[in-house]
């Protein structure tokens, strides 16, 4: 008996999702090296990156922003969790997730949570982030996540 179209599609979707999860895992690992040379390959040439208080449209500006974060939190560790994939196709995907970053500043240890959305495109077989939107959470949800996910790995 041959595999049905639905089974093939389901298998293909699983393969795509696995490759996307690997991309997100590898991006987080690259981010935690605190070296933009390792981070840059995960973005398209002209990404659109929105943080709560800044919009970025070029690698150079993104590199400067990340270097400033790494300067302020030299031992920062970043992780994502609770990933959802509302859109997955052969060349486009959207990932919605929570993130956590923690480390030491001049004022002591901090741990913060937020929410993010990444739009990924596949270029020459490689997933890259074309848009990233990171934002803060309401305080009550941040407290809940801190309780539930304070030691989450990804």
């Amino acid at each position: 008996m041959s595999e049905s179209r639905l089974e093939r599609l389901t298998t293909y979707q699983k393969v795509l999702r696995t490759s996307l999860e690997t991309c997100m895992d590898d991006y987080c690992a690259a981010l935690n090296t605190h070296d933009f040379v390792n981070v840059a390959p995960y973005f398209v040439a002209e990404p659109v990156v929105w943080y709560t208080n800044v919009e970025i449209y070029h690698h150079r500006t993104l590199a400067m922003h990340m270097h400033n974060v790494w300067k302020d939190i030299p031992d920062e560790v970043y992780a994502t969790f609770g990933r959802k994939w509302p859109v997955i196709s052969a060349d486009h995907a959207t990932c919605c997730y929570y993130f956590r970053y923690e480390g030491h500043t001049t004022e002591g240890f901090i741990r913060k949570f937020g929410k993010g959305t990444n739009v990924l495109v596949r270029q020459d077989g490689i997933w890259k982030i074309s848009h990233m939107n990171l934002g803060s959470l309401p305080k009550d949800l941040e407290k809940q996540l801190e309780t539930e996910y304070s030691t989450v790995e990804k």
Side-chain angles (χ1 to χ4, degrees):
M1 179 181 277
S2 66
E3 187 178 41
S4 73
R5 183 178 183 281
L6 181 58
E7 289 170 329
R8 283 192 308 274
L9 181 61
T10 301
T11 300
Y12 182 64
Q13 289 288 326
K14 288 178 185 175
V15 168
L16 284 175
R17 183 175 172 145
T18 298
S19 69
L20 287 158
E21 289 286 351
T22 299
C23 175
M24 288 292 291
D25 290 344
D26 292 350
Y27 166 70
C28 289
L31 198 59
N32 287 327
T33 68
H34 296 199
D35 186 343
F36 192 74
V37 169
N38 298 328
V39 175
Y42 291 92
F43 287 91
V44 297
E46 294 187 13
V48 175
V49 179
W50 292 349
Y51 294 97
T52 300
N53 59 352
V54 66
E55 295 179 8
I56 296 170
Y57 301 98
H58 303 286
H59 269 231
R60 182 179 43 220
T61 311
L62 184 57
M64 290 182 342
H65 177 78
M66 288 184 176
H67 285 296
N68 286 337
V69 169
W70 297 327
K71 184 180 69 175
D72 292 343
I73 313 170
D75 62 342
E76 180 199 35
V77 177
Y78 178 87
T80 66
F81 57 96
R83 295 177 191 160
K84 305 289 185 223
W85 297 93
V87 175
I88 297 178
S89 72
D91 294 315
H92 298 87
T94 303
C95 182
C96 303
Y97 55 93
Y98 294 111
F99 65 87
R100 180 197 75 219
Y101 64 93
E102 61 186 27
H104 294 85
T105 68
T106 56
E107 298 170 10
F109 181 79
I110 62 164
R111 176 183 291 135
K112 298 285 185 176
F113 291 86
K115 59 186 172 184
T117 301
N118 289 2
V119 176
L120 298 99
V121 296
R122 192 153 59 169
Q123 297 179 338
D124 300 321
I126 299 169
W127 289 109
K128 295 184 178 254
I129 300 167
S130 64
H131 173 64
M132 181 167 63
N133 185 346
L134 300 177
S136 56
L137 294 171
K139 289 292 179 197
D140 59 336
L141 182 54
E142 187 167 354
K143 293 270 188 219
Q144 178 184 342
L145 290 176
E146 185 163 9
T147 301
E148 293 178 25
Y149 297 102
S150 62
T151 60
V152 72
E153 292 302 317
K154 62 179 180 179

